[in-house]
Amino acid sequence: MNMIIEICCDGFGKALSACEAGADRIELCQELPIGGTTPPHDTIREVVGALNIPVNVLIRPRGGDFVYSHSEVGQILDDIRFCGELRENGRRVNGVVFGALLRDGSVDADATRKMVREAHRQGLSTTFHRAIDESADIFSSLQAIMDIGGIDRILTSGGASDAYSGRQTIAEMVAKAAGRISIMAGCGVTAANATAIAAATGIHEIHGSRLEIISAMKSEQASST
């Protein structure tokens, strides 16, 4: 199976460059220094209208923790709805990226179900983001996310500071997921370590912000065929 290479982009210019470089998909966000937040609606519209590859949009109303108030969950749902309803140059958002925790570090199943339901109403793909890496127990959180259902993938560093350091845990997550949900490695992925992460974990999707990942992974794929 070919690796899906997703590039994290914090604006139109980066998104266009990622598309031209051969990315399979992008995650669109802003404010990367604080882990990313929801990009402005005008930016979403501009990027979706211009790119001919899938665009997933990060839905995160603020930096900091992933424990959201009732009003913040409402804002997340509104942003998911906007993404689902958007049409620009005959194109639409492919998916949304979200996640929520409770104060005890477990997955906020109630809030997450609401997000999944709204995404499905809008026909959007779903990714549970790196909130899982901040959870109290990454394997319990993995099981909770699978039990909620309707989530296509989880973006994770394996609870480590970067995906290479967390590669053993990511491999265990892939094994426990057993095909029920895709595990996508992300955080600190570079051209130098991307193929090693893929080989060590058995993932089929990888996420990073460096465009050099694309050529490194595609060269590796070409040499192995």
Side-chain angles (χ1 to χ4, degrees):
M1 182 184 293
N2 287 337
M3 183 70 63
I4 295 173
I5 305 167
E6 177 180 277
I7 299 296
C8 181
C9 302
D10 59 356
F12 178 80
K14 178 70 175 292
L16 186 61
S17 295
C19 182
E20 292 173 344
D24 298 302
R25 185 175 66 223
I26 70 159
E27 181 201 86
L28 183 63
C29 66
Q30 67 170 351
E31 298 186 296
L32 275 175
I34 62 170
T37 59
T38 307
H41 288 183
D42 286 348
T43 301
I44 301 172
R45 183 179 288 107
E46 182 182 26
V47 170
V48 169
L51 267 60
N52 60 1
I53 59 173
V55 176
N56 287 355
V57 178
L58 177 63
I59 308 296
R60 185 185 179 204
R62 55 165 172 78
D65 64 30
F66 300 99
V67 180
Y68 296 120
S69 67
H70 177 76
S71 62
E72 287 174 329
V73 171
Q75 181 180 344
I76 290 169
L77 297 177
D78 286 345
D79 284 335
I80 292 173
R81 194 171 302 113
F82 169 82
C83 289
E85 294 174 352
L86 175 65
R87 301 291 185 277
E88 190 72 14
N89 294 338
R91 300 186 178 104
R92 65 191 305 265
V93 172
N94 177 72
V96 284
V97 183
F98 51 72
L101 301 177
L102 297 173
R103 294 203 178 277
D104 65 1
S106 62
V107 171
D108 187 339
D110 182 59
T112 301
R113 284 192 187 95
K114 291 176 182 177
M115 297 171 198
V116 171
R117 282 197 297 265
E118 186 57 45
H120 284 186
R121 273 195 289 266
Q122 302 297 337
L124 296 167
S125 171
T126 53
T127 302
F128 194 97
H129 59 44
R130 290 191 58 230
I132 193 171
D133 295 322
E134 303 295 326
S135 67
D137 184 301
I138 200 166
F139 294 111
S140 294
S141 295
L142 168 61
Q143 187 61 54
I145 292 166
M146 291 193 294
D147 289 344
I148 289 167
I151 298 175
D152 297 308
R153 69 189 57 81
I154 296 172
L155 171 61
T156 182
S157 65
S161 58
D162 60 82
Y164 184 78
S165 299
R167 63 194 184 280
Q168 181 175 344
T169 298
I170 296 172
E172 292 178 35
M173 293 173 73
V174 170
K176 289 180 182 298
R180 291 177 56 190
I181 190 169
S182 178
I183 305 299
M184 178 167 62
C187 186
V189 177
T190 68
N193 66 24
T195 56
I197 292 169
T201 60
I203 57 167
H204 298 298
E205 301 185 72
I206 198 162
H207 169 103
S209 60
R210 298 168 173 86
L211 297 183
E212 295 81 6
I213 297 167
I214 302 168
S215 57
M217 293 299 297
K218 290 189 180 294
S219 294
E220 177 68 19
Q221 290 175 15
S223 65
S224 64
T225 57

PDB file of all heavy atoms in Angstrom, residues 58-80:
ATOM      1  N   LEU A  58      -8.120  21.745  10.380  1.00  0.00           N
ATOM      2  CA  LEU A  58      -8.036  21.629  11.831  1.00  0.00           C
ATOM      3  C   LEU A  58      -9.141  22.468  12.475  1.00  0.00           C
ATOM      4  O   LEU A  58      -9.279  23.655  12.178  1.00  0.00           O
ATOM      5  CB  LEU A  58      -6.673  22.106  12.320  1.00  0.00           C
ATOM      6  CG  LEU A  58      -6.475  22.115  13.846  1.00  0.00           C
ATOM      7  CD1 LEU A  58      -6.567  20.708  14.422  1.00  0.00           C
ATOM      8  CD2 LEU A  58      -5.142  22.761  14.214  1.00  0.00           C
ATOM      9  N   ILE A  59      -9.901  21.847  13.364  1.00  0.00           N
ATOM     10  CA  ILE A  59     -10.963  22.545  14.092  1.00  0.00           C
ATOM     11  C   ILE A  59     -10.553  22.577  15.561  1.00  0.00           C
ATOM     12  O   ILE A  59     -10.761  21.635  16.319  1.00  0.00           O
ATOM     13  CB  ILE A  59     -12.327  21.853  13.918  1.00  0.00           C
ATOM     14  CG1 ILE A  59     -12.634  21.628  12.435  1.00  0.00           C
ATOM     15  CG2 ILE A  59     -13.414  22.682  14.574  1.00  0.00           C
ATOM     16  CD1 ILE A  59     -12.794  22.883  11.604  1.00  0.00           C
ATOM     17  N   ARG A  60      -9.939  23.680  15.952  1.00  0.00           N
ATOM     18  CA  ARG A  60      -9.451  23.861  17.322  1.00  0.00           C
ATOM     19  C   ARG A  60      -9.574  25.344  17.652  1.00  0.00           C
ATOM     20  O   ARG A  60      -8.874  26.171  17.083  1.00  0.00           O
ATOM     21  CB  ARG A  60      -7.998  23.396  17.437  1.00  0.00           C
ATOM     22  CG  ARG A  60      -7.448  23.429  18.865  1.00  0.00           C
ATOM     23  CD  ARG A  60      -5.975  23.065  18.882  1.00  0.00           C
ATOM     24  NE  ARG A  60      -5.440  23.115  20.245  1.00  0.00           N
ATOM     25  CZ  ARG A  60      -4.147  23.296  20.531  1.00  0.00           C
ATOM     26  NH1 ARG A  60      -3.265  23.456  19.545  1.00  0.00           N
ATOM     27  NH2 ARG A  60      -3.734  23.337  21.786  1.00  0.00           N
ATOM     28  N   PRO A  61     -10.475  25.711  18.540  1.00  0.00           N
ATOM     29  CA  PRO A  61     -10.799  27.121  18.733  1.00  0.00           C
ATOM     30  C   PRO A  61      -9.730  27.949  19.427  1.00  0.00           C
ATOM     31  O   PRO A  61      -9.780  29.183  19.364  1.00  0.00           O
ATOM     32  CB  PRO A  61     -12.077  27.073  19.576  1.00  0.00           C
ATOM     33  CG  PRO A  61     -12.015  25.762  20.297  1.00  0.00           C
ATOM     34  CD  PRO A  61     -11.347  24.825  19.341  1.00  0.00           C
ATOM     35  N   ARG A  62      -8.772  27.283  20.065  1.00  0.00           N
ATOM     36  CA  ARG A  62      -7.735  28.012  20.813  1.00  0.00           C
ATOM     37  C   ARG A  62      -6.568  27.087  21.092  1.00  0.00           C
ATOM     38  O   ARG A  62      -6.659  25.869  20.917  1.00  0.00           O
ATOM     39  CB  ARG A  62      -8.295  28.512  22.159  1.00  0.00           C
ATOM     40  CG  ARG A  62      -8.886  27.401  23.013  1.00  0.00           C
ATOM     41  CD  ARG A  62      -9.116  27.796  24.443  1.00  0.00           C
ATOM     42  NE  ARG A  62      -9.842  26.779  25.178  1.00  0.00           N
ATOM     43  CZ  ARG A  62      -9.319  25.662  25.662  1.00  0.00           C
ATOM     44  NH1 ARG A  62      -8.034  25.393  25.475  1.00  0.00           N
ATOM     45  NH2 ARG A  62     -10.064  24.793  26.339  1.00  0.00           N
ATOM     46  N   GLY A  63      -5.458  27.687  21.537  1.00  0.00           N
ATOM     47  CA  GLY A  63      -4.342  26.882  22.004  1.00  0.00           C
ATOM     48  C   GLY A  63      -4.599  26.395  23.419  1.00  0.00           C
ATOM     49  O   GLY A  63      -5.688  26.561  23.966  1.00  0.00           O
ATOM     50  N   GLY A  64      -3.591  25.785  24.014  1.00  0.00           N
ATOM     51  CA  GLY A  64      -3.757  25.291  25.373  1.00  0.00           C
ATOM     52  C   GLY A  64      -4.269  23.872  25.404  1.00  0.00           C
ATOM     53  O   GLY A  64      -4.006  23.073  24.502  1.00  0.00           O
ATOM     54  N   ASP A  65      -5.021  23.556  26.455  1.00  0.00           N
ATOM     55  CA  ASP A  65      -5.476  22.174  26.616  1.00  0.00           C
ATOM     56  C   ASP A  65      -6.640  21.857  25.678  1.00  0.00           C
ATOM     57  O   ASP A  65      -7.097  22.700  24.899  1.00  0.00           O
ATOM     58  CB  ASP A  65      -5.844  21.891  28.075  1.00  0.00           C
ATOM     59  CG  ASP A  65      -7.029  22.724  28.570  1.00  0.00           C
ATOM     60  OD1 ASP A  65      -7.922  23.075  27.758  1.00  0.00           O
ATOM     61  OD2 ASP A  65      -7.077  23.030  29.783  1.00  0.00           O
ATOM     62  N   PHE A  66      -7.119  20.622  25.772  1.00  0.00           N
ATOM     63  CA  PHE A  66      -8.191  20.154  24.901  1.00  0.00           C
ATOM     64  C   PHE A  66      -9.481  19.907  25.683  1.00  0.00           C
ATOM     65  O   PHE A  66     -10.344  19.144  25.252  1.00  0.00           O
ATOM     66  CB  PHE A  66      -7.751  18.885  24.173  1.00  0.00           C
ATOM     67  CG  PHE A  66      -6.522  19.102  23.325  1.00  0.00           C
ATOM     68  CD1 PHE A  66      -5.258  18.739  23.797  1.00  0.00           C
ATOM     69  CD2 PHE A  66      -6.622  19.698  22.089  1.00  0.00           C
ATOM     70  CE1 PHE A  66      -4.124  18.950  23.028  1.00  0.00           C
ATOM     71  CE2 PHE A  66      -5.486  19.919  21.304  1.00  0.00           C
ATOM     72  CZ  PHE A  66      -4.239  19.540  21.774  1.00  0.00           C
ATOM     73  N   VAL A  67      -9.585  20.544  26.837  1.00  0.00           N
ATOM     74  CA  VAL A  67     -10.798  20.465  27.654  1.00  0.00           C
ATOM     75  C   VAL A  67     -11.659  21.665  27.284  1.00  0.00           C
ATOM     76  O   VAL A  67     -11.318  22.808  27.584  1.00  0.00           O
ATOM     77  CB  VAL A  67     -10.464  20.475  29.157  1.00  0.00           C
ATOM     78  CG1 VAL A  67     -11.742  20.385  29.981  1.00  0.00           C
ATOM     79  CG2 VAL A  67      -9.513  19.332  29.500  1.00  0.00           C
ATOM     80  N   TYR A  68     -12.784  21.398  26.626  1.00  0.00           N
ATOM     81  CA  TYR A  68     -13.584  22.469  26.056  1.00  0.00           C
ATOM     82  C   TYR A  68     -14.875  22.708  26.822  1.00  0.00           C
ATOM     83  O   TYR A  68     -15.529  21.757  27.271  1.00  0.00           O
ATOM     84  CB  TYR A  68     -13.910  22.158  24.588  1.00  0.00           C
ATOM     85  CG  TYR A  68     -12.689  22.114  23.713  1.00  0.00           C
ATOM     86  CD1 TYR A  68     -12.357  20.948  23.006  1.00  0.00           C
ATOM     87  CD2 TYR A  68     -11.846  23.212  23.599  1.00  0.00           C
ATOM     88  CE1 TYR A  68     -11.235  20.900  22.201  1.00  0.00           C
ATOM     89  CE2 TYR A  68     -10.718  23.167  22.793  1.00  0.00           C
ATOM     90  CZ  TYR A  68     -10.414  22.019  22.102  1.00  0.00           C
ATOM     91  OH  TYR A  68      -9.294  21.962  21.309  1.00  0.00           O
ATOM     92  N   SER A  69     -15.238  23.972  26.916  1.00  0.00           N
ATOM     93  CA  SER A  69     -16.511  24.355  27.522  1.00  0.00           C
ATOM     94  C   SER A  69     -17.650  24.072  26.558  1.00  0.00           C
ATOM     95  O   SER A  69     -17.435  23.775  25.368  1.00  0.00           O
ATOM     96  CB  SER A  69     -16.487  25.852  27.866  1.00  0.00           C
ATOM     97  OG  SER A  69     -16.449  26.619  26.677  1.00  0.00           O
ATOM     98  N   HIS A  70     -18.867  24.196  27.062  1.00  0.00           N
ATOM     99  CA  HIS A  70     -20.047  23.990  26.225  1.00  0.00           C
ATOM    100  C   HIS A  70     -20.036  24.950  25.042  1.00  0.00           C
ATOM    101  O   HIS A  70     -20.332  24.557  23.903  1.00  0.00           O
ATOM    102  CB  HIS A  70     -21.311  24.186  27.069  1.00  0.00           C
ATOM    103  CG  HIS A  70     -22.580  24.060  26.278  1.00  0.00           C
ATOM    104  ND1 HIS A  70     -23.086  22.840  25.874  1.00  0.00           N
ATOM    105  CD2 HIS A  70     -23.447  25.010  25.799  1.00  0.00           C
ATOM    106  CE1 HIS A  70     -24.210  23.038  25.198  1.00  0.00           C
ATOM    107  NE2 HIS A  70     -24.441  24.329  25.131  1.00  0.00           N
ATOM    108  N   SER A  71     -19.684  26.198  25.290  1.00  0.00           N
ATOM    109  CA  SER A  71     -19.680  27.193  24.205  1.00  0.00           C
ATOM    110  C   SER A  71     -18.569  26.897  23.201  1.00  0.00           C
ATOM    111  O   SER A  71     -18.745  27.114  21.989  1.00  0.00           O
ATOM    112  CB  SER A  71     -19.529  28.605  24.768  1.00  0.00           C
ATOM    113  OG  SER A  71     -18.288  28.757  25.444  1.00  0.00           O
ATOM    114  N   GLU A  72     -17.423  26.400  23.673  1.00  0.00           N
ATOM    115  CA  GLU A  72     -16.335  26.052  22.746  1.00  0.00           C
ATOM    116  C   GLU A  72     -16.719  24.856  21.880  1.00  0.00           C
ATOM    117  O   GLU A  72     -16.396  24.823  20.681  1.00  0.00           O
ATOM    118  CB  GLU A  72     -15.062  25.775  23.525  1.00  0.00           C
ATOM    119  CG  GLU A  72     -14.419  27.041  24.097  1.00  0.00           C
ATOM    120  CD  GLU A  72     -13.240  26.769  25.001  1.00  0.00           C
ATOM    121  OE1 GLU A  72     -13.225  25.710  25.672  1.00  0.00           O
ATOM    122  OE2 GLU A  72     -12.334  27.623  25.043  1.00  0.00           O
ATOM    123  N   VAL A  73     -17.401  23.880  22.459  1.00  0.00           N
ATOM    124  CA  VAL A  73     -17.884  22.760  21.647  1.00  0.00           C
ATOM    125  C   VAL A  73     -18.853  23.272  20.588  1.00  0.00           C
ATOM    126  O   VAL A  73     -18.812  22.853  19.427  1.00  0.00           O
ATOM    127  CB  VAL A  73     -18.548  21.683  22.522  1.00  0.00           C
ATOM    128  CG1 VAL A  73     -19.239  20.620  21.659  1.00  0.00           C
ATOM    129  CG2 VAL A  73     -17.516  21.025  23.436  1.00  0.00           C
ATOM    130  N   GLY A  74     -19.698  24.217  20.973  1.00  0.00           N
ATOM    131  CA  GLY A  74     -20.619  24.818  20.010  1.00  0.00           C
ATOM    132  C   GLY A  74     -19.886  25.503  18.870  1.00  0.00           C
ATOM    133  O   GLY A  74     -20.290  25.405  17.697  1.00  0.00           O
ATOM    134  N   GLN A  75     -18.794  26.183  19.187  1.00  0.00           N
ATOM    135  CA  GLN A  75     -17.988  26.839  18.150  1.00  0.00           C
ATOM    136  C   GLN A  75     -17.360  25.806  17.216  1.00  0.00           C
ATOM    137  O   GLN A  75     -17.318  26.004  15.993  1.00  0.00           O
ATOM    138  CB  GLN A  75     -16.897  27.689  18.798  1.00  0.00           C
ATOM    139  CG  GLN A  75     -16.025  28.445  17.789  1.00  0.00           C
ATOM    140  CD  GLN A  75     -14.951  29.279  18.470  1.00  0.00           C
ATOM    141  OE1 GLN A  75     -15.010  29.546  19.673  1.00  0.00           O
ATOM    142  NE2 GLN A  75     -13.954  29.686  17.702  1.00  0.00           N
ATOM    143  N   ILE A  76     -16.874  24.720  17.800  1.00  0.00           N
ATOM    144  CA  ILE A  76     -16.304  23.640  16.989  1.00  0.00           C
ATOM    145  C   ILE A  76     -17.350  23.085  16.027  1.00  0.00           C
ATOM    146  O   ILE A  76     -17.084  22.891  14.833  1.00  0.00           O
ATOM    147  CB  ILE A  76     -15.745  22.522  17.896  1.00  0.00           C
ATOM    148  CG1 ILE A  76     -14.492  23.017  18.627  1.00  0.00           C
ATOM    149  CG2 ILE A  76     -15.428  21.260  17.082  1.00  0.00           C
ATOM    150  CD1 ILE A  76     -14.009  22.094  19.727  1.00  0.00           C
ATOM    151  N   LEU A  77     -18.543  22.849  16.524  1.00  0.00           N
ATOM    152  CA  LEU A  77     -19.612  22.318  15.666  1.00  0.00           C
ATOM    153  C   LEU A  77     -19.968  23.302  14.557  1.00  0.00           C
ATOM    154  O   LEU A  77     -20.218  22.899  13.413  1.00  0.00           O
ATOM    155  CB  LEU A  77     -20.842  21.986  16.511  1.00  0.00           C
ATOM    156  CG  LEU A  77     -20.653  20.883  17.566  1.00  0.00           C
ATOM    157  CD1 LEU A  77     -21.925  20.710  18.377  1.00  0.00           C
ATOM    158  CD2 LEU A  77     -20.246  19.563  16.915  1.00  0.00           C
ATOM    159  N   ASP A  78     -19.983  24.586  14.875  1.00  0.00           N
ATOM    160  CA  ASP A  78     -20.268  25.612  13.859  1.00  0.00           C
ATOM    161  C   ASP A  78     -19.195  25.603  12.772  1.00  0.00           C
ATOM    162  O   ASP A  78     -19.504  25.734  11.578  1.00  0.00           O
ATOM    163  CB  ASP A  78     -20.342  26.998  14.496  1.00  0.00           C
ATOM    164  CG  ASP A  78     -21.619  27.224  15.298  1.00  0.00           C
ATOM    165  OD1 ASP A  78     -22.575  26.435  15.129  1.00  0.00           O
ATOM    166  OD2 ASP A  78     -21.650  28.181  16.088  1.00  0.00           O
ATOM    167  N   ASP A  79     -17.933  25.447  13.177  1.00  0.00           N
ATOM    168  CA  ASP A  79     -16.847  25.428  12.197  1.00  0.00           C
ATOM    169  C   ASP A  79     -16.892  24.169  11.341  1.00  0.00           C
ATOM    170  O   ASP A  79     -16.588  24.208  10.137  1.00  0.00           O
ATOM    171  CB  ASP A  79     -15.491  25.552  12.902  1.00  0.00           C
ATOM    172  CG  ASP A  79     -15.192  26.966  13.373  1.00  0.00           C
ATOM    173  OD1 ASP A  79     -15.750  27.916  12.782  1.00  0.00           O
ATOM    174  OD2 ASP A  79     -14.414  27.128  14.338  1.00  0.00           O
ATOM    175  N   ILE A  80     -17.250  23.037  11.929  1.00  0.00           N
ATOM    176  CA  ILE A  80     -17.424  21.812  11.146  1.00  0.00           C
ATOM    177  C   ILE A  80     -18.534  22.009  10.117  1.00  0.00           C
ATOM    178  O   ILE A  80     -18.400  21.632   8.943  1.00  0.00           O
ATOM    179  CB  ILE A  80     -17.740  20.611  12.063  1.00  0.00           C
ATOM    180  CG1 ILE A  80     -16.524  20.263  12.930  1.00  0.00           C
ATOM    181  CG2 ILE A  80     -18.175  19.386  11.228  1.00  0.00           C
ATOM    182  CD1 ILE A  80     -16.794  19.206  13.983  1.00  0.00           C
TER     183      ILE A  80
END
